[in-house]
Amino acid sequence: MAHSIVDSSGTDLEQERYLRDATHHFRGIEKPLKYGPTIETLNDLITALHKEFDTNYVNIEMVNHIMLSYKSHPREWKRFAKFDRFKYTRNLVDAGNGKFNLMILCWGEGHGSAIHDHADSHCFMKMLKGDLKETRYEMPCSKAIEMPNVDIGEVNGDSDEEQEFEREQLNVVGSTTITVNDVAYINDNLGLHRVENPSHIDTAVSLHLYCPPFNECSVFHKNSGKRIKCPVTFWSKYGVRQAESKK
């Protein structure tokens, strides 16, 4: 069972169950809806998301519409964009009253994630600057190994170390280049993915929405399918760097 960070009240749990059920049939939409709200600024996007999540029965298509409708304005999001020299960073923009997490991920030249799942949640990824390459994989049947002191940004899912486990190489489904203002969508029923900045001269910035929010996920070894559970943390919150002990 995924480790959710949704409040334990009855209404919030009902919304969480509804959202998790929706991962079984929702596949994402490619264009904004004709009847959705107009989103001109990042604040419009955040306000619209709060309104959409103020019900047990979230219209996940409308959430997708909101992410698609926003057009990147660097002056609006640059204060949240915090880079690290060695790995990509996760920077919290809005905690969604515990119902969703909106964050900006910053990718230095050549930075990439491990192959990972999304803890039975919805993941929307919108490009704000540069390009990202997304590679998708089929979900394997491997059991998870706990690694509580490892962060998703620090796990090398392609390492060839530790060959003592049964091998089940991950199958690649396909790869896509995500460009500015594109929105990619994935959930665990669609598989796993790895995201990377293919450029060695330019940085990239993306806006991510996760619902329900979660504080751990699984990363996967490419050549064996080995699954490792690890926490997900924030490099900064609301534009302020988090100390290592307080992430």
Side-chain angles (χ1 to χ4, degrees), residues 19-215:
L19 285 169
R20 295 199 192 284
D21 286 345
T23 64
H24 293 281
H25 59 78
F26 188 66
R27 297 293 182 268
I29 60 175
E30 296 181 357
K31 296 180 180 180
L33 302 172
K34 294 180 179 180
Y35 55 86
T38 300
I39 308 296
E40 295 183 348
T41 68
L42 184 59
N43 283 337
D44 288 346
L45 181 147
I46 294 170
T47 299
L49 288 175
H50 276 272
K51 182 178 180 180
E52 199 57 47
F53 280 86
D54 193 26
T55 173
N56 290 341
Y57 305 103
V58 178
N59 183 342
I60 202 67
E61 277 197 351
M62 189 61 71
V63 173
N64 204 155
H65 162 87
I66 292 167
M67 295 293 286
L68 282 164
S69 298
Y70 175 65
K71 303 304 179 187
S72 177
H73 298 294
R75 68 181 181 277
E76 296 178 345
W77 51 257
K78 64 181 180 180
R79 71 184 181 94
F80 301 108
K82 309 294 184 182
F83 285 84
D84 184 277
R85 179 180 176 183
F86 301 105
K87 62 180 181 179
Y88 79 94
T89 62
R90 304 167 78 252
N91 305 281
L92 185 65
V93 175
D94 194 284
N97 291 329
K99 298 178 179 180
F100 65 86
N101 274 344
L102 184 70
M103 64 191 74
I104 283 179
L105 273 60
C106 294
W107 311 80
E109 299 88 338
H111 287 178
S113 73
I115 301 169
H116 61 279
D117 69 7
H118 295 89
D120 202 23
S121 292
H122 301 267
C123 166
F124 298 91
M125 178 172 63
K126 182 184 189 71
M127 284 308 304
L128 300 179
K129 175 185 180 291
D131 298 338
L132 289 176
K133 178 184 177 182
E134 180 195 35
T135 304
R136 295 200 178 192
Y137 302 83
E138 292 180 359
M139 178 72 75
C141 299
S142 54
K143 294 183 179 180
I145 299 171
E146 300 279 353
M147 291 187 67
N149 297 320
V150 179
D151 183 83
I152 184 174
E154 299 169 339
V155 174
N156 181 1
D158 293 336
S159 171
D160 287 324
E161 298 176 358
E162 301 185 57
Q163 297 295 327
E164 71 276 9
F165 41 83
E166 183 179 352
R167 300 179 67 85
E168 182 190 355
Q169 185 168 346
L170 295 180
N171 294 320
V172 176
V173 175
S175 62
T176 306
T177 298
I178 310 167
T179 61
V180 173
N181 290 320
D182 287 349
V183 174
Y185 170 80
I186 192 170
N187 65 55
D188 290 352
N189 290 288
L190 299 176
L192 313 170
H193 73 177
R194 180 177 190 269
V195 180
E196 60 186 307
N197 178 6
S199 175
H200 293 281
I201 57 173
D202 294 319
T203 60
V205 180
S206 50
L207 179 69
H208 295 235
L209 174 72
Y210 301 102
C211 59
F214 54 90
N215 54 22

Side-chain angles (χ1 to χ4, degrees), residues 218-229:
S218 295
V219 300
F220 295 78
H221 189 283
K222 180 180 178 181
N223 294 325
S224 68
K226 183 179 76 167
R227 179 194 302 241
I228 302 170
K229 279 189 177 181

